[in-house]
Structure formats: C-alpha cells, structure tokens
Amino acid sequence: MKWRIILPAAYLAPAAGVWIDFVNTNPDGLANLGLMFVVLPITVAGLFIGWLVDQESFVLLPDGLGYFGDHALFYVPSVALIALALWLLGRRIDRIRG
C-alpha cells in the first residue's frame, strides 16, 4: 500500500468536491465556510497572522480578482500545500513500513 498516494488522494477528492459545490452556490457570506474548513490549518494560520497584525479582514484572501478569483487564489495553493504535506507524510510512512 503506497501511503504517499493514498493520503493526498483521500484529501484531494473531497477538496475538489467542496470547490465544485462552492462555485455552484450563491456568493454570500457563508458560501466559503466549506473552503475554509477544508484548508483548516491554513485558515488558522491566516487568522493568527491577522490577529498579529491587527487586521479585521482575512489576510490570506486577496482582493481584486472578483469573488471566485480571490477565493481560487487562496484555495488552490492552500490545497496544494496541504496535499504536499500529506504526500511527505505518506512517503515517510512508506519508508518506515518498507
């Protein structure tokens, strides 16, 4: 069993589903909660950075590319970073088990 494949795949499949759900809902204040939950470690880091710099808006969500563009610019790199971390964890597990 190759954990370096299973772990990121098990994360990327629901992450893609959440993005599809997001783009098919009305752009309101609660539509992005699913996105923020899927990338929870990045969300927590962004909230902490915002608290440190005393900014009320979410510092990792850009502004100026439109609603979906702004969210895509936050979500896609966040998902990629978490998937990379899961791949590295899976690779480590594979080395320990193999």
Side-chain angles (χ1 to χ4, degrees), residues 7-84:
L7 290 178
Y11 173 72
L12 289 171
V18 168
W19 178 257
I20 291 168
D21 184 55
F22 172 73
V23 297
N24 289 316
T25 58
N26 293 328
D28 62 6
L30 298 176
N32 62 1
L33 286 179
L35 298 180
M36 297 299 178
F37 181 73
V38 169
V39 294
L40 191 60
I42 309 295
T43 302
V44 170
L47 291 172
F48 182 69
I49 293 168
W51 176 76
L52 283 177
V53 298
D54 197 28
Q55 187 170 345
E56 291 182 15
S57 62
F58 188 65
V59 296
L60 297 180
L61 191 61
D63 190 23
L65 297 174
Y67 185 75
F68 293 115
D70 293 343
H71 283 80
L73 195 56
F74 163 71
Y75 188 69
V76 172
S78 298
V79 167
L81 185 63
I82 293 171
L84 174 64

